[in-house]
Amino acid sequence: MDEWEELAWRVPETLMLVSCEMEATRLIEVAHSNLQVRGTLFRRIHLGMPAAIAMNLFGDPAAEGVIPTEILEEARREISQSGARHGKTRHVFARYVVAHLGVQQDDPAYRSWEVHHQDAIRFTDKALEKVSEAASHAEAAKDAVDIAETLLSQPQPPLQLWAEWTSAAEKLVDQAALEATLALDEVLRARQSVALEFFDAVAILRRGRAPPAAVDKWWQEIERTLPGAFLLVATGGLKALRLIRDAHGKLQERVAMLRVNLRQETPAAAVPVEGNSAYQLDPEGICPTVALEDARREISQSTVLHAKTRHVLARYVAHLGAQQDDPAYRSWDVHHQEAVDHISKALKRVIDTVSNAEAGKVALVIMGSVAYGCPLWDVWASEAEKFTAVAALEATMATNEMRCAQEAVAQELSDAWTILLSRRRN
């Protein structure tokens, strides 16, 4: 086997790695969520949140403490690196199949590969463009907030001008969130095109000699590690489930405390507010939003690994020549989609839980800034209780979704094992 043939069989491996890459997707999703939080802050100003508090929270409302522009820049680097790896495959593959296999450029399989390759490049370029635009709008929003803060700090703030700058910041944040959504769509379309390119490349390369021993060994390694990957997905889900349950218990304690203290006309000094450890912390000193953020990270990491198992198993089945209408494959695919659906819903519930828990905490801060017994005090006390109760409810639903996801992943592992065993017998 010559050097070019060896390199050509590396092309499908590279395409698989590119199509399974999920880090950019995860980063864009985090940035999008972060931007949505910032947009919510401006809308709360219109509902009565004191401007000074909103401006302070805008600086860094994310539990991770990372601003959206930094996250988006990291996503841009990930997309660029994947695009570079993808671009290198074209020269090697085209030269080998044309010069060594004699495949003509008007060959249907070659045309299909070329179309999918160009689609992937176009979607990747569009994703880079949208990520850059999202970062640009997010940075412009931050500049608008900085200007609004300087106006607010003046002895006699020009409130009309301040309102105009905050309105501009809100629009810029919303536009940044929209651009991030569009970027995510383009990244997913690019990955799908690369996946189709993978199948085209394998079909063409099989016209030549048998795959080199290194490739066979690679497939065998995939077969050996797939069950372990499913177990890692399940393990990450169990850890996230435990963290959500812990947070749920703490949120229920908060609701009970608020209902007892606030409904019995407790003096303002005794009301648990920001900085009061009785409200913020559990006996171990961990607040619910920290536990929930840890759960979100676990779910996100498990999601990335779970998506990779699908790409790898699907390609392995295709490598063996199996059909997708095989009963075991259909059962696995159904359970995989069920797991994806439940995991996605659980992740959304966790994010909503954090948002409502933070809103409840902000309501307490505002309540502490107004005179006890006045109408606004009662309004914000009620808001604190309401948001915290909703957070506890969202945590309950997140727990239910994670349980369902765990059951689906367990079924998925069983189906995958059945597929692998049947191929070994054959």
Side-chain angles (χ1 to χ4, degrees):
M1 176 176 295
D2 61 25
E3 179 181 351
W4 277 105
E5 187 173 0
E6 184 74 26
L7 286 173
W9 274 103
R10 290 288 182 182
V11 169
E13 179 180 356
T14 302
L15 293 174
M16 178 182 288
L17 291 174
V18 172
S19 67
C20 292
E21 177 56 51
M22 293 287 290
E23 182 62 12
T25 301
R26 185 189 70 81
L27 289 168
I28 295 172
E29 287 176 341
V30 171
H32 180 264
S33 176
N34 202 314
L35 289 164
Q36 285 184 313
V37 171
R38 283 164 161 76
T40 300
L41 288 175
F42 287 113
R43 283 180 276 280
R44 286 178 184 166
I45 291 176
H46 303 153
L47 296 175
M49 176 184 286
I53 294 177
M55 293 295 97
N56 182 58
L57 291 174
F58 182 90
D60 189 9
E64 288 187 339
V66 181
I67 61 175
T69 49
E70 293 180 0
I71 303 173
L72 290 167
E73 176 58 26
E74 190 175 348
R76 188 196 62 77
R77 284 194 294 268
E78 288 290 334
I79 297 171
S80 296
Q81 290 170 2
S82 292
R85 286 195 295 270
H86 175 251
K88 290 177 182 178
T89 64
R90 177 180 175 78
H91 173 69
V92 173
F93 185 76
R95 179 166 179 176
Y96 174 75
V97 299
V98 173
H100 294 256
L101 294 183
V103 176
Q104 301 299 313
Q105 293 187 1
D106 59 353
D107 182 279
Y110 187 92
R111 288 204 309 271
S112 179
W113 167 78
E114 177 71 19
V115 167
H116 292 139
H117 183 86
Q118 294 300 328
D119 284 345
I121 291 175
R122 186 173 70 258
F123 294 142
T124 299
D125 289 344
K126 196 68 174 179
L128 287 170
E129 176 187 335
K130 292 301 178 183
V131 166
S132 296
E133 290 176 357
S136 176
H137 282 94
E139 190 64 25
K142 184 178 180 301
D143 291 341
V145 169
D146 290 340
I147 295 172
E149 283 184 323
T150 60
L151 295 172
L152 199 62
S153 63
Q154 295 179 15
Q156 293 183 334
L159 296 181
Q160 179 59 38
L161 188 57
W162 175 85
E164 291 175 0
W165 279 107
T166 55
S167 177
E170 179 184 356
K171 292 176 182 177
L172 287 166
V173 167
D174 288 342
Q175 185 62 36
L178 174 61
E179 297 292 349
T181 299
L182 296 176
L184 182 60
D185 290 342
E186 297 298 339
V187 169
L188 295 176
R189 293 173 73 183
R191 287 178 54 241
Q192 178 64 23
S193 295
V194 174
L196 294 172
E197 192 180 346
F198 166 88
F199 287 111
D200 294 333
V202 170
I204 294 172
L205 290 174
R206 279 180 174 168
R207 299 180 185 180
R209 287 187 286 176
V215 175
D216 282 340
K217 184 177 180 181
W218 177 56
W219 285 115
Q220 292 169 8
E221 182 67 13
I222 286 176
E223 179 181 343
R224 184 182 68 81
T225 57
L226 264 175
F230 281 109
L231 289 175
L232 286 176
V233 172
T235 300
L238 286 173
K239 184 175 181 181
L241 186 58
R242 178 183 61 79
L243 289 166
I244 297 170
R245 284 172 175 166
D246 290 346
H248 177 257
K250 296 164 194 170
L251 287 167
Q252 284 185 314
E253 292 175 4
R254 285 189 177 189
V255 173
M257 183 184 301
L258 286 165
R259 285 175 179 168
V260 170
N261 290 343
L262 302 181
R263 298 310 182 195
Q264 293 181 357
E265 297 185 353
T266 304
V271 174
V273 295
E274 178 96 0
N276 186 327
S277 61
Y279 177 79
Q280 286 191 355
L281 307 177
D282 69 353
E284 298 179 354
I286 305 297
C287 69
T289 50
V290 172
L292 289 165
E293 181 58 28
D294 288 341
R296 188 198 63 75
R297 279 194 291 268
E298 286 292 333
I299 296 172
S300 295
Q301 291 169 2
S302 294
T303 299
V304 171
L305 182 57
H306 189 236
K308 288 182 178 179
T309 61
R310 173 179 176 78
H311 284 283
V312 173
L313 183 59
R315 282 151 183 72
Y316 181 69
V317 170
H319 167 73
L320 295 172
Q323 301 298 316
Q324 293 188 358
D325 60 356
D326 180 89
Y329 186 90
R330 287 204 310 271
S331 177
W332 165 74
D333 190 50
V334 168
H335 289 131
H336 180 88
Q337 294 301 331
E338 288 177 354
V340 169
D341 183 57
H342 289 302
I343 291 172
S344 176
K345 289 179 179 177
L347 188 58
K348 183 180 184 303
R349 294 295 185 187
V350 168
I351 293 173
D352 289 344
T353 303
V354 173
S355 177
N356 282 287
E358 288 293 332
K361 188 170 68 175
V362 170
L364 283 173
V365 176
I366 299 172
M367 184 186 68
S369 68
V370 300
Y372 169 67
C374 72
L376 273 180
W377 191 94
D378 291 333
V379 169
W380 286 109
S382 177
E383 288 293 295
E385 179 188 348
K386 180 185 70 176
F387 279 120
T388 307
V390 171
L393 177 61
E394 291 286 356
T396 299
M397 291 188 284
T399 299
N400 293 337
E401 292 295 346
M402 284 305 300
R403 286 200 193 99
C404 293
Q406 288 297 101
E407 292 175 4
V409 171
Q411 291 293 329
E412 193 180 350
L413 172 58
S414 176
D415 294 334
W417 188 246
T418 299
I419 293 171
L420 294 176
L421 286 178
S422 66
R423 302 310 162 200
R424 286 176 182 174
R425 296 191 190 102
N426 297 334

